[in-house]
Amino acid sequence: NVIVVDPRACGLSEGKYTTAGIKEGEDAALWLGYINKKYGISNFYIHGICAGSAEAVYVAAEKPSYLKGIILEGPYSSFYKVILMRTRLQKKPTFPVCLQMALLYRKIAGVDVFGHKPIEYVTKIDVPVLFLCGKEDKSNSPKDFTKIYDACSSKQKKFVWFEHGAHSHLRIVNREKYDSEVIDFING
């Protein structure tokens, strides 16, 4: 069983604000717990893209017995770093704009992007982890991908680089390799 995550206020999910995977992680844990309890299914993988990867990390760090692995596409070490990178890409000043954005995130969405960093939570993961990262990703740096991979405490982890594909678009231009890596990971 695979759960593909649409964070709050994104894709097909409801909600007014996305919370960078923080509250979405709580949502996913509730969904999986409910399905596990009601239907006895105990073999879940979470496949998260961008903020969905943070969500998967937050769930895996809680070590639910029904979680068998996580697939992270374009994971970030800190959402605040993503805000900084995206602001720089637009050639806008990062100070005080990014700090104000983070503070507004806290006030409006109710989450602390400084206090919740996926890189701190990957140190608690013991399920298998597949990292899918693109060299053309402009929202996260390859150095950041490597940092979060190195920090991950899972004994079964795999890192896959894709030469082409922008942030959250790896599968669009790498369908065969992408699907093969995911299938092999789940069947492994």
Side-chain angles (χ1 to χ4, degrees):
N1 299 293
V2 179
I3 184 167
V4 179
V5 178
D6 269 342
R8 293 176 180 203
C10 296
L12 299 176
S13 290
E14 297 176 347
K16 197 169 181 181
Y17 306 105
T18 181
T19 66
I22 299 165
K23 290 183 179 179
E24 291 84 359
E26 297 167 8
D27 295 344
L30 289 171
W31 299 332
L32 296 177
Y34 174 79
I35 294 168
N36 173 256
K37 186 174 181 178
K38 182 161 176 110
Y39 301 103
I41 297 172
S42 59
N43 190 23
F44 289 100
Y45 290 83
I46 299 178
H47 180 172
I49 300 171
C50 186
S53 67
E55 173 179 341
V57 166
Y58 296 138
V59 174
E62 295 298 318
K63 302 183 187 321
S65 61
Y66 46 77
L67 187 63
K68 301 304 176 201
I70 59 175
I71 301 162
L72 310 177
E73 180 186 328
Y76 51 80
S77 61
S78 156
F79 190 68
Y80 184 68
K81 282 178 125 180
V82 173
I83 293 171
L84 286 169
M85 281 193 75
R86 288 186 177 175
T87 305
R88 286 183 188 123
L89 278 174
Q90 295 176 15
K91 300 191 184 332
K92 305 288 183 196
T94 57
F95 184 82
V97 176
C98 293
L99 177 60
Q100 290 171 329
M101 287 172 64
L103 295 173
L104 281 172
Y105 228 85
R106 181 183 297 167
K107 181 178 180 180
I108 295 170
V111 295
D112 179 7
V113 297
F114 297 113
H116 286 86
K117 297 176 187 169
I119 197 161
E120 294 172 0
Y121 287 79
V122 295
T123 62
K124 303 172 186 176
I125 294 175
D126 55 12
V127 296
V129 183
L130 175 62
F131 291 82
L132 304 171
C133 304
K135 292 184 178 179
E136 294 177 347
D137 193 325
K138 303 251 188 265
S139 292
N140 297 326
S141 70
K143 188 168 99 174
D144 211 40
F145 292 143
T146 304
K147 273 180 157 178
I148 196 165
Y149 175 83
D150 290 343
C152 181
S153 60
S154 173
K155 302 262 188 275
Q156 295 177 282
K157 59 185 178 179
K158 182 177 181 183
F159 194 103
V160 180
W161 278 114
F162 291 86
E163 291 297 322
H164 303 289
H167 184 73
S168 301
H169 292 83
L170 291 180
R171 187 172 183 270
I172 293 170
V173 294
N174 303 285
R175 185 174 297 250
E176 189 175 313
K177 179 181 177 183
Y178 192 103
D179 290 353
S180 175
E181 290 291 348
V182 171
I183 291 166
D184 288 350
F185 175 74
I186 292 170
N187 290 333

PDB file of all heavy atoms in Angstrom, residues 4 10 15 17-18 26 29 35 46 49 63-64 70 87 100 104 108-109 115 133 140 142 145 162 167 172 180:
ATOM      1  N   VAL A   4       0.293   8.521  -1.534  1.00  0.00           N
ATOM      2  CA  VAL A   4       0.924   9.652  -2.202  1.00  0.00           C
ATOM      3  C   VAL A   4       0.284  10.896  -1.608  1.00  0.00           C
ATOM      4  O   VAL A   4      -0.928  11.048  -1.633  1.00  0.00           O
ATOM      5  CB  VAL A   4       0.738   9.603  -3.728  1.00  0.00           C
ATOM      6  CG1 VAL A   4       1.397  10.807  -4.384  1.00  0.00           C
ATOM      7  CG2 VAL A   4       1.324   8.308  -4.283  1.00  0.00           C
ATOM      8  N   CYS A  10      -3.163  21.897  -1.123  1.00  0.00           N
ATOM      9  CA  CYS A  10      -2.451  21.598  -2.370  1.00  0.00           C
ATOM     10  C   CYS A  10      -3.117  20.418  -3.072  1.00  0.00           C
ATOM     11  O   CYS A  10      -3.733  19.570  -2.419  1.00  0.00           O
ATOM     12  CB  CYS A  10      -1.001  21.241  -2.081  1.00  0.00           C
ATOM     13  SG  CYS A  10      -0.036  22.562  -1.360  1.00  0.00           S
ATOM     14  N   GLY A  15      -8.248  22.640   2.655  1.00  0.00           N
ATOM     15  CA  GLY A  15      -7.518  23.473   3.597  1.00  0.00           C
ATOM     16  C   GLY A  15      -7.176  24.810   2.997  1.00  0.00           C
ATOM     17  O   GLY A  15      -7.148  24.991   1.784  1.00  0.00           O
ATOM     18  N   TYR A  17      -4.301  26.648   4.238  1.00  0.00           N
ATOM     19  CA  TYR A  17      -2.854  26.852   4.283  1.00  0.00           C
ATOM     20  C   TYR A  17      -2.130  25.519   4.330  1.00  0.00           C
ATOM     21  O   TYR A  17      -2.538  24.612   5.035  1.00  0.00           O
ATOM     22  CB  TYR A  17      -2.446  27.639   5.538  1.00  0.00           C
ATOM     23  CG  TYR A  17      -3.181  28.941   5.699  1.00  0.00           C
ATOM     24  CD1 TYR A  17      -4.182  29.083   6.639  1.00  0.00           C
ATOM     25  CD2 TYR A  17      -2.872  30.026   4.885  1.00  0.00           C
ATOM     26  CE1 TYR A  17      -4.872  30.279   6.788  1.00  0.00           C
ATOM     27  CE2 TYR A  17      -3.559  31.222   5.022  1.00  0.00           C
ATOM     28  CZ  TYR A  17      -4.558  31.337   5.973  1.00  0.00           C
ATOM     29  OH  TYR A  17      -5.229  32.513   6.101  1.00  0.00           O
ATOM     30  N   THR A  18      -1.051  25.437   3.603  1.00  0.00           N
ATOM     31  CA  THR A  18      -0.151  24.301   3.757  1.00  0.00           C
ATOM     32  C   THR A  18       0.765  24.621   4.941  1.00  0.00           C
ATOM     33  O   THR A  18       1.010  25.792   5.239  1.00  0.00           O
ATOM     34  CB  THR A  18       0.665  24.033   2.477  1.00  0.00           C
ATOM     35  OG1 THR A  18       1.497  22.895   2.710  1.00  0.00           O
ATOM     36  CG2 THR A  18       1.512  25.209   2.067  1.00  0.00           C
ATOM     37  N   GLU A  26       0.895  14.969  10.846  1.00  0.00           N
ATOM     38  CA  GLU A  26      -0.100  14.530  11.830  1.00  0.00           C
ATOM     39  C   GLU A  26      -1.319  13.939  11.122  1.00  0.00           C
ATOM     40  O   GLU A  26      -1.853  12.914  11.545  1.00  0.00           O
ATOM     41  CB  GLU A  26      -0.517  15.703  12.721  1.00  0.00           C
ATOM     42  CG  GLU A  26       0.601  16.269  13.565  1.00  0.00           C
ATOM     43  CD  GLU A  26       0.259  17.615  14.197  1.00  0.00           C
ATOM     44  OE1 GLU A  26      -0.914  18.062  14.113  1.00  0.00           O
ATOM     45  OE2 GLU A  26       1.169  18.236  14.781  1.00  0.00           O
ATOM     46  N   ALA A  29      -0.439  10.443   9.724  1.00  0.00           N
ATOM     47  CA  ALA A  29      -0.368   9.457  10.812  1.00  0.00           C
ATOM     48  C   ALA A  29      -1.783   9.035  11.229  1.00  0.00           C
ATOM     49  O   ALA A  29      -2.032   7.845  11.479  1.00  0.00           O
ATOM     50  CB  ALA A  29       0.402  10.030  11.995  1.00  0.00           C
ATOM     51  N   ILE A  35      -6.768   3.481   9.002  1.00  0.00           N
ATOM     52  CA  ILE A  35      -6.841   2.369   8.044  1.00  0.00           C
ATOM     53  C   ILE A  35      -6.269   1.096   8.664  1.00  0.00           C
ATOM     54  O   ILE A  35      -6.823   0.008   8.511  1.00  0.00           O
ATOM     55  CB  ILE A  35      -6.120   2.734   6.730  1.00  0.00           C
ATOM     56  CG1 ILE A  35      -6.866   3.866   6.021  1.00  0.00           C
ATOM     57  CG2 ILE A  35      -5.977   1.526   5.819  1.00  0.00           C
ATOM     58  CD1 ILE A  35      -6.101   4.504   4.875  1.00  0.00           C
ATOM     59  N   ILE A  46       4.966   5.682   2.481  1.00  0.00           N
ATOM     60  CA  ILE A  46       4.559   7.056   2.178  1.00  0.00           C
ATOM     61  C   ILE A  46       5.503   7.579   1.099  1.00  0.00           C
ATOM     62  O   ILE A  46       6.723   7.484   1.229  1.00  0.00           O
ATOM     63  CB  ILE A  46       4.627   7.981   3.411  1.00  0.00           C
ATOM     64  CG1 ILE A  46       3.700   7.485   4.517  1.00  0.00           C
ATOM     65  CG2 ILE A  46       4.257   9.413   3.007  1.00  0.00           C
ATOM     66  CD1 ILE A  46       3.759   8.314   5.779  1.00  0.00           C
ATOM     67  N   ILE A  49       6.398  14.276  -1.951  1.00  0.00           N
ATOM     68  CA  ILE A  49       7.119  15.163  -2.863  1.00  0.00           C
ATOM     69  C   ILE A  49       7.186  16.543  -2.217  1.00  0.00           C
ATOM     70  O   ILE A  49       6.161  17.088  -1.814  1.00  0.00           O
ATOM     71  CB  ILE A  49       6.418  15.228  -4.229  1.00  0.00           C
ATOM     72  CG1 ILE A  49       6.355  13.824  -4.852  1.00  0.00           C
ATOM     73  CG2 ILE A  49       7.122  16.208  -5.158  1.00  0.00           C
ATOM     74  CD1 ILE A  49       5.498  13.730  -6.102  1.00  0.00           C
ATOM     75  N   LYS A  63       7.820   6.375  14.319  1.00  0.00           N
ATOM     76  CA  LYS A  63       7.995   4.925  14.289  1.00  0.00           C
ATOM     77  C   LYS A  63       6.704   4.109  14.395  1.00  0.00           C
ATOM     78  O   LYS A  63       6.628   3.155  15.176  1.00  0.00           O
ATOM     79  CB  LYS A  63       8.972   4.481  15.374  1.00  0.00           C
ATOM     80  CG  LYS A  63      10.346   5.120  15.267  1.00  0.00           C
ATOM     81  CD  LYS A  63      11.287   4.592  16.322  1.00  0.00           C
ATOM     82  CE  LYS A  63      12.609   5.273  16.398  1.00  0.00           C
ATOM     83  NZ  LYS A  63      13.283   5.668  15.238  1.00  0.00           N
ATOM     84  N   PRO A  64       5.671   4.425  13.608  1.00  0.00           N
ATOM     85  CA  PRO A  64       4.473   3.578  13.650  1.00  0.00           C
ATOM     86  C   PRO A  64       4.796   2.193  13.087  1.00  0.00           C
ATOM     87  O   PRO A  64       5.515   2.073  12.095  1.00  0.00           O
ATOM     88  CB  PRO A  64       3.471   4.321  12.772  1.00  0.00           C
ATOM     89  CG  PRO A  64       4.291   5.173  11.875  1.00  0.00           C
ATOM     90  CD  PRO A  64       5.544   5.511  12.639  1.00  0.00           C
ATOM     91  N   ILE A  70       9.603   4.901   3.397  1.00  0.00           N
ATOM     92  CA  ILE A  70       9.207   6.208   2.859  1.00  0.00           C
ATOM     93  C   ILE A  70      10.018   6.520   1.608  1.00  0.00           C
ATOM     94  O   ILE A  70      11.182   6.134   1.491  1.00  0.00           O
ATOM     95  CB  ILE A  70       9.331   7.352   3.897  1.00  0.00           C
ATOM     96  CG1 ILE A  70      10.757   7.503   4.430  1.00  0.00           C
ATOM     97  CG2 ILE A  70       8.343   7.131   5.043  1.00  0.00           C
ATOM     98  CD1 ILE A  70      10.946   8.704   5.356  1.00  0.00           C
ATOM     99  N   THR A  87      13.284  32.890  -2.843  1.00  0.00           N
ATOM    100  CA  THR A  87      13.349  34.352  -2.864  1.00  0.00           C
ATOM    101  C   THR A  87      14.577  34.811  -3.644  1.00  0.00           C
ATOM    102  O   THR A  87      14.500  35.742  -4.457  1.00  0.00           O
ATOM    103  CB  THR A  87      13.366  34.914  -1.429  1.00  0.00           C
ATOM    104  OG1 THR A  87      12.213  34.410  -0.728  1.00  0.00           O
ATOM    105  CG2 THR A  87      13.333  36.426  -1.422  1.00  0.00           C
ATOM    106  N   GLN A 100      10.142  37.715   7.745  1.00  0.00           N
ATOM    107  CA  GLN A 100       8.740  38.105   7.888  1.00  0.00           C
ATOM    108  C   GLN A 100       7.806  37.001   7.391  1.00  0.00           C
ATOM    109  O   GLN A 100       6.779  36.720   8.007  1.00  0.00           O
ATOM    110  CB  GLN A 100       8.475  39.409   7.129  1.00  0.00           C
ATOM    111  CG  GLN A 100       9.125  40.604   7.775  1.00  0.00           C
ATOM    112  CD  GLN A 100       9.040  41.846   6.906  1.00  0.00           C
ATOM    113  OE1 GLN A 100       9.041  41.771   5.681  1.00  0.00           O
ATOM    114  NE2 GLN A 100       8.965  43.003   7.555  1.00  0.00           N
ATOM    115  N   LEU A 104       5.021  35.175   9.586  1.00  0.00           N
ATOM    116  CA  LEU A 104       3.619  35.128   9.140  1.00  0.00           C
ATOM    117  C   LEU A 104       3.132  33.681   9.065  1.00  0.00           C
ATOM    118  O   LEU A 104       1.980  33.393   9.379  1.00  0.00           O
ATOM    119  CB  LEU A 104       3.456  35.808   7.785  1.00  0.00           C
ATOM    120  CG  LEU A 104       3.412  37.324   7.826  1.00  0.00           C
ATOM    121  CD1 LEU A 104       3.453  37.908   6.417  1.00  0.00           C
ATOM    122  CD2 LEU A 104       2.169  37.800   8.568  1.00  0.00           C
ATOM    123  N   ILE A 108      -0.246  32.887  10.880  1.00  0.00           N
ATOM    124  CA  ILE A 108      -1.420  32.543  10.079  1.00  0.00           C
ATOM    125  C   ILE A 108      -1.680  31.035  10.029  1.00  0.00           C
ATOM    126  O   ILE A 108      -2.801  30.584  10.225  1.00  0.00           O
ATOM    127  CB  ILE A 108      -1.288  33.124   8.653  1.00  0.00           C
ATOM    128  CG1 ILE A 108      -1.289  34.655   8.730  1.00  0.00           C
ATOM    129  CG2 ILE A 108      -2.396  32.625   7.750  1.00  0.00           C
ATOM    130  CD1 ILE A 108      -0.924  35.343   7.444  1.00  0.00           C
ATOM    131  N   ALA A 109      -0.641  30.246   9.761  1.00  0.00           N
ATOM    132  CA  ALA A 109      -0.825  28.793   9.607  1.00  0.00           C
ATOM    133  C   ALA A 109      -0.591  28.039  10.916  1.00  0.00           C
ATOM    134  O   ALA A 109      -0.890  26.860  11.011  1.00  0.00           O
ATOM    135  CB  ALA A 109       0.097  28.261   8.519  1.00  0.00           C
ATOM    136  N   GLY A 115      11.459  25.727  14.061  1.00  0.00           N
ATOM    137  CA  GLY A 115      11.522  24.652  15.045  1.00  0.00           C
ATOM    138  C   GLY A 115      11.303  23.269  14.473  1.00  0.00           C
ATOM    139  O   GLY A 115      11.648  22.279  15.100  1.00  0.00           O
ATOM    140  N   CYS A 133      16.203  12.638  -6.109  1.00  0.00           N
ATOM    141  CA  CYS A 133      16.607  14.043  -6.178  1.00  0.00           C
ATOM    142  C   CYS A 133      17.068  14.414  -7.577  1.00  0.00           C
ATOM    143  O   CYS A 133      17.731  13.621  -8.249  1.00  0.00           O
ATOM    144  CB  CYS A 133      17.733  14.309  -5.179  1.00  0.00           C
ATOM    145  SG  CYS A 133      17.279  13.865  -3.491  1.00  0.00           S
ATOM    146  N   ASN A 140      15.809  23.365  -3.956  1.00  0.00           N
ATOM    147  CA  ASN A 140      16.757  22.782  -2.992  1.00  0.00           C
ATOM    148  C   ASN A 140      18.081  22.591  -3.707  1.00  0.00           C
ATOM    149  O   ASN A 140      18.108  22.346  -4.903  1.00  0.00           O
ATOM    150  CB  ASN A 140      16.266  21.416  -2.499  1.00  0.00           C
ATOM    151  CG  ASN A 140      14.973  21.500  -1.739  1.00  0.00           C
ATOM    152  OD1 ASN A 140      14.727  22.462  -1.046  1.00  0.00           O
ATOM    153  ND2 ASN A 140      14.146  20.495  -1.882  1.00  0.00           N
ATOM    154  N   PRO A 142      21.655  20.501  -4.444  1.00  0.00           N
ATOM    155  CA  PRO A 142      22.196  19.140  -4.329  1.00  0.00           C
ATOM    156  C   PRO A 142      22.950  18.935  -3.010  1.00  0.00           C
ATOM    157  O   PRO A 142      22.899  17.865  -2.417  1.00  0.00           O
ATOM    158  CB  PRO A 142      23.136  19.034  -5.525  1.00  0.00           C
ATOM    159  CG  PRO A 142      22.532  19.952  -6.544  1.00  0.00           C
ATOM    160  CD  PRO A 142      21.995  21.107  -5.728  1.00  0.00           C
ATOM    161  N   PHE A 145      20.399  18.079  -0.401  1.00  0.00           N
ATOM    162  CA  PHE A 145      19.935  16.700  -0.534  1.00  0.00           C
ATOM    163  C   PHE A 145      20.933  15.752   0.129  1.00  0.00           C
ATOM    164  O   PHE A 145      20.550  14.836   0.855  1.00  0.00           O
ATOM    165  CB  PHE A 145      19.793  16.301  -2.007  1.00  0.00           C
ATOM    166  CG  PHE A 145      18.696  17.002  -2.750  1.00  0.00           C
ATOM    167  CD1 PHE A 145      18.865  17.362  -4.071  1.00  0.00           C
ATOM    168  CD2 PHE A 145      17.480  17.290  -2.146  1.00  0.00           C
ATOM    169  CE1 PHE A 145      17.863  17.989  -4.777  1.00  0.00           C
ATOM    170  CE2 PHE A 145      16.462  17.928  -2.849  1.00  0.00           C
ATOM    171  CZ  PHE A 145      16.659  18.280  -4.166  1.00  0.00           C
ATOM    172  N   PHE A 162      18.757  12.232 -10.477  1.00  0.00           N
ATOM    173  CA  PHE A 162      18.196  12.352 -11.819  1.00  0.00           C
ATOM    174  C   PHE A 162      18.858  13.561 -12.464  1.00  0.00           C
ATOM    175  O   PHE A 162      18.865  14.650 -11.883  1.00  0.00           O
ATOM    176  CB  PHE A 162      16.676  12.546 -11.768  1.00  0.00           C
ATOM    177  CG  PHE A 162      15.937  11.323 -11.307  1.00  0.00           C
ATOM    178  CD1 PHE A 162      15.758  11.080  -9.961  1.00  0.00           C
ATOM    179  CD2 PHE A 162      15.434  10.420 -12.229  1.00  0.00           C
ATOM    180  CE1 PHE A 162      15.086   9.949  -9.530  1.00  0.00           C
ATOM    181  CE2 PHE A 162      14.758   9.287 -11.810  1.00  0.00           C
ATOM    182  CZ  PHE A 162      14.585   9.048 -10.457  1.00  0.00           C
ATOM    183  N   HIS A 167      12.110  20.748  -9.753  1.00  0.00           N
ATOM    184  CA  HIS A 167      11.534  20.426  -8.449  1.00  0.00           C
ATOM    185  C   HIS A 167      10.103  19.933  -8.602  1.00  0.00           C
ATOM    186  O   HIS A 167       9.294  20.563  -9.284  1.00  0.00           O
ATOM    187  CB  HIS A 167      11.586  21.666  -7.550  1.00  0.00           C
ATOM    188  CG  HIS A 167      11.110  21.406  -6.161  1.00  0.00           C
ATOM    189  ND1 HIS A 167      11.860  20.693  -5.263  1.00  0.00           N
ATOM    190  CD2 HIS A 167       9.964  21.731  -5.542  1.00  0.00           C
ATOM    191  CE1 HIS A 167      11.195  20.608  -4.128  1.00  0.00           C
ATOM    192  NE2 HIS A 167      10.035  21.234  -4.271  1.00  0.00           N
ATOM    193  N   ILE A 172       7.943  13.284 -14.460  1.00  0.00           N
ATOM    194  CA  ILE A 172       7.459  13.749 -15.764  1.00  0.00           C
ATOM    195  C   ILE A 172       8.495  13.504 -16.853  1.00  0.00           C
ATOM    196  O   ILE A 172       8.150  13.098 -17.963  1.00  0.00           O
ATOM    197  CB  ILE A 172       7.069  15.250 -15.700  1.00  0.00           C
ATOM    198  CG1 ILE A 172       5.844  15.417 -14.800  1.00  0.00           C
ATOM    199  CG2 ILE A 172       6.811  15.827 -17.085  1.00  0.00           C
ATOM    200  CD1 ILE A 172       5.523  16.859 -14.463  1.00  0.00           C
ATOM    201  N   SER A 180      10.768   2.539 -12.020  1.00  0.00           N
ATOM    202  CA  SER A 180      11.598   1.368 -11.727  1.00  0.00           C
ATOM    203  C   SER A 180      12.214   1.457 -10.334  1.00  0.00           C
ATOM    204  O   SER A 180      12.214   0.478  -9.579  1.00  0.00           O
ATOM    205  CB  SER A 180      12.695   1.244 -12.791  1.00  0.00           C
ATOM    206  OG  SER A 180      13.573   0.200 -12.465  1.00  0.00           O
TER     207      SER A 180
END
